[in-house]
Amino acid sequence: MPAAQRYSDILEGRRIAAFLGGAGSGKTEIALNFALGLRRETQRQIHFFDMDQTKPLFRARDASEKLAAAGIAFHSNTDTSIEDVAAIAPGVISALAEEDSIVLLDVGGNEQGARVIGQFFERLNRSDSVAFLPVNPYRPWAGTPEELMDTIEKIRAAARTENTFIISNPNFCAQTCAEDVIAGNEKLKQMLQGRYEISFVTALEPLCEALEGRLTERLIPIQIQILYPWMEDSLR
């Protein structure tokens, strides 16, 4: 297993990726890492759509300046609102039609939020598109295997996505050690019961050296992109 994968290798030639999932899954951080990683790997135009409408914290829009500075086109339905709203960021249809660009959709709110991309299902179910659903098996919403599968199916049904792969994101935030990642990933594989494929495993970048050769899945290092003042001490 390589210590790190290119983000373009994870996409396997696809140019559109939707990131689905609820609070605590790590979806937004993973999507931001994808955007910045792809920016380092390609000269193609990258569009990032903040379509997460249901939470006041850990929103992609809080990293919008960082994305813009990297040359990534950031789109949001609002720059300031934290309310649940039905509107989506303008420009989705035109970006999806740009054959030379890469489009990343950060979609949150479990099945309620996933409905926002259901209207694009015909485009998102083509061979050049993929949906990623991060799961942190240490979060309460993972629950039992039956509860986890029910949550995944509800999100998929709301988003109307077919090409859906799981991201294994086992962590306890800054307190995570390499053994937590390994144990959590094994727990998730057992919970999935072979019904869904794990596309890759994520871990904070400092842990990746200790994980070298200990996972059968691809490993992607994650750097924290949204850092609020009250988080700084815990990540030092």
Side-chain angles (χ1 to χ4, degrees):
M1 177 213 68
Q5 290 278 335
R6 285 168 49 89
Y7 290 90
S8 49
D9 292 340
I10 296 292
L11 288 182
E12 298 179 343
R14 303 179 181 98
R15 52 168 293 266
I16 300 170
F19 294 83
L20 308 169
S25 66
K27 167 189 58 62
T28 295
E29 283 287 358
I30 295 171
L32 291 171
N33 273 264
F34 249 82
L36 293 167
L38 287 167
R39 176 74 291 158
R40 294 189 294 268
E41 296 172 9
T42 179
Q43 296 301 311
R44 297 169 70 180
Q45 173 67 67
I46 299 174
H47 292 281
F48 189 105
F49 285 88
D50 176 8
M51 304 174 79
D52 194 338
Q53 305 176 33
T54 59
K55 64 183 182 183
L57 291 176
F58 300 104
R59 305 166 305 174
R61 69 196 70 167
D62 294 329
S64 59
E65 293 183 1
K66 183 181 297 187
L67 295 184
I72 297 165
F74 181 83
H75 308 264
S76 177
N77 61 336
T78 175
D79 292 329
T80 58
S81 175
I82 61 174
E83 302 295 331
D84 293 356
V85 290
I88 63 172
V92 177
I93 295 175
S94 60
L96 292 176
E98 292 179 11
E99 294 298 330
D100 292 332
S101 69
I102 296 174
V103 181
L104 306 178
L105 309 173
D106 177 25
V107 186
N110 282 336
E111 66 269 23
Q112 289 81 13
R115 291 192 182 97
V116 76
I117 64 167
Q119 61 189 293
F120 309 117
F121 78 97
E122 290 185 349
R123 184 64 191 82
L124 296 178
N125 285 327
R126 296 182 187 176
S127 60
D128 65 348
S129 302
V130 64
F132 291 118
L133 203 161
V135 177
N136 183 349
Y138 295 125
R139 289 289 185 264
W141 74 267
T144 65
E146 292 74 21
E147 290 169 336
L148 175 60
M149 297 308 301
D150 182 63
T151 298
I152 292 173
E153 291 300 325
K154 285 180 177 177
I155 292 174
R156 283 194 61 208
R160 304 170 77 179
T161 55
E162 296 176 2
N163 305 323
T164 305
F165 297 89
I166 302 298
I167 300 172
S168 177
N169 184 36
N171 71 85
F172 295 107
C173 299
Q175 291 71 42
T176 310
C177 67
E179 299 303 325
D180 295 327
V181 175
I182 294 169
N185 186 54
E186 289 302 315
K187 175 183 178 182
L188 178 56
K189 286 193 288 187
Q190 294 176 12
M191 294 177 74
L192 291 173
Q193 302 172 342
R195 294 174 61 182
Y196 282 92
E197 177 183 344
I198 293 178
S199 178
F200 58 93
V201 182
T202 61
L204 290 174
E205 192 171 48
L207 298 177
C208 289
E209 183 176 355
L211 291 167
E212 174 72 29
R214 303 180 67 188
L215 295 168
T216 57
E217 296 82 12
R218 298 177 290 189
L219 175 65
I220 286 288
I222 293 295
Q223 296 179 348
I224 300 300
Q225 304 298 332
I226 303 175
L227 185 61
Y228 298 114
W230 48 268
M231 297 171 58
E232 292 178 355
D233 289 340
S234 65
L235 290 171
R236 286 176 181 168

